[in-house]
Amino acid sequence: EAQVTQNPRYLITVTGKKLTVTCSQNMNHEYMSWYRQDPGLGLRQIYYSMNVEVTDKGDVPEGYKVSRKEKRNFPLILESPSPNQTSLYFCASSFSGTGDYNEQFFGPGTRLTVL
Amino acid sequence: AQSVTQLDSHVSVSEGTPVLLRCNYSSSYSPSLFWYVQHPNKGLQLLLKYTSAATLVKGINGFEAEFKKSETSFHLTKPSAHMSDAAEYFCVVSERGRGGGNKLTFGTGTQLKVEL
């Protein structure tokens, strides 16, 4: 089944404790992206990747890191989480980062709470 | 810069009555436009997309949207609401970003409630 998977689905942590949220897709998509969803703000892009080893900042990149060493994986790293990073996080992928046929497929989400 | 405005944060309809979720956009170029739906505790699912082929776009589950360039609108409609339509709906605009790739901008969402 074609899908985007994220792990963990739920995470409660404390301020300053480094964490990684994994994202994997099995559709051979070039483009991957991370979003955070907060009430009343919709989804905001954190980072995106056009292809392996090509990443760039989205609208809200502060406090996050990413890497794209393999085409299928795009982990999100919080080196020193803070309470304002408590949010619902979505990973997404699409066949290409350009062109009209850039429908994004979303993972199920990771709910992160930073105490 | 592109932007999306969803005019209603909450919409409530009775089952069997029409649904109208309003979306206005701002874009420098000819954008691609999407509607996504998010059911409780689920990820986002694509309902439909506009990519300049036709102004009236049909999607899944009986939803459709009409692109009106003169009004910069892309409202989502359904003739008859079903209880299973209760969810949050996001209007999304896509255009070329500064890095060369497509940049998606999401609206703030419309929560649709369907009552018996």
Side-chain angles (χ1 to χ4, degrees):
Chain A
E1 180 189 356
Q3 60 183 348
V4 179
T5 56
Q6 295 179 226
N7 282 291
R9 295 289 313 280
Y10 302 90
L11 179 60
I12 300 175
T13 189
V14 296
T15 298
K17 186 176 181 182
K18 181 179 177 180
L19 66 91
T20 299
V21 183
T22 65
C23 173
S24 183
Q25 50 89 9
N26 62 2
M27 296 171 278
N28 201 35
H29 284 169
E30 289 187 348
Y31 182 90
M32 298 185 75
S33 181
W34 275 102
Y35 299 89
R36 59 178 290 173
Q37 182 181 19
D38 301 291
L41 297 177
L43 276 77
R44 294 177 293 167
Q45 190 180 52
I46 303 170
Y47 269 94
Y48 67 93
S49 169
M50 296 284 286
N51 212 326
V52 175
E53 303 290 5
V54 181
T55 63
D56 205 352
K57 297 177 180 178
D59 296 319
V60 287
E62 295 77 20
Y64 303 94
K65 284 175 56 177
V66 292
S67 68
R68 186 93 181 272
K69 292 182 169 49
E70 307 166 277
K71 198 171 188 179
R72 63 183 293 128
N73 296 323
F74 190 45
L76 179 70
I77 302 156
L78 285 72
E79 295 270 4
S80 183
S82 62
N84 64 13
Q85 292 178 298
T86 292
S87 187
L88 179 59
Y89 291 86
F90 287 101
C91 180
S93 72
S94 64
F95 177 74
S96 169
T98 61
D100 290 341
Y101 304 103
N102 60 338
E103 170 193 345
Q104 293 197 10
F105 295 83
F106 285 81
T110 295
R111 187 167 292 282
L112 172 65
T113 301
V114 183
L115 301 174
Chain B
Q2 60 192 24
S3 66
V4 178
T5 302
Q6 291 185 243
L7 295 155
D8 306 292
S9 58
H10 293 81
V11 169
S12 183
V13 301
S14 298
E15 191 175 33
T17 64
V19 175
L20 170 63
L21 305 184
R22 298 182 294 166
C23 172
N24 285 99
Y25 71 93
S26 170
S27 176
S28 304
Y29 307 101
S30 295
S32 294
L33 294 158
F34 304 82
W35 276 98
Y36 281 86
V37 61
Q38 184 181 28
H39 287 94
N41 300 313
K42 299 283 188 185
L44 280 80
Q45 179 185 18
L46 181 70
L47 270 181
L48 50 81
K49 62 181 177 183
Y50 166 76
T51 56
S52 78
T55 57
L56 182 63
V57 183
K58 294 188 184 300
I60 61 171
N61 300 334
F63 284 94
E64 60 183 39
E66 186 172 7
F67 173 72
K68 292 186 176 180
K69 188 174 182 179
S70 61
E71 298 176 11
T72 59
S73 68
F74 191 56
H75 301 333
L76 181 70
T77 60
K78 183 174 180 177
S80 176
H82 191 272
M83 295 296 289
S84 61
D85 294 329
E88 188 158 23
Y89 292 79
F90 292 95
C91 182
V92 183
V93 62
S94 173
E95 64 178 13
R96 185 68 59 88
R98 59 181 169 83
N102 287 321
K103 176 177 169 54
L104 296 188
T105 300
F106 284 75
T108 52
T110 298
Q111 191 72 44
L112 176 64
K113 183 178 179 182
V114 182
E115 299 172 319
L116 286 171

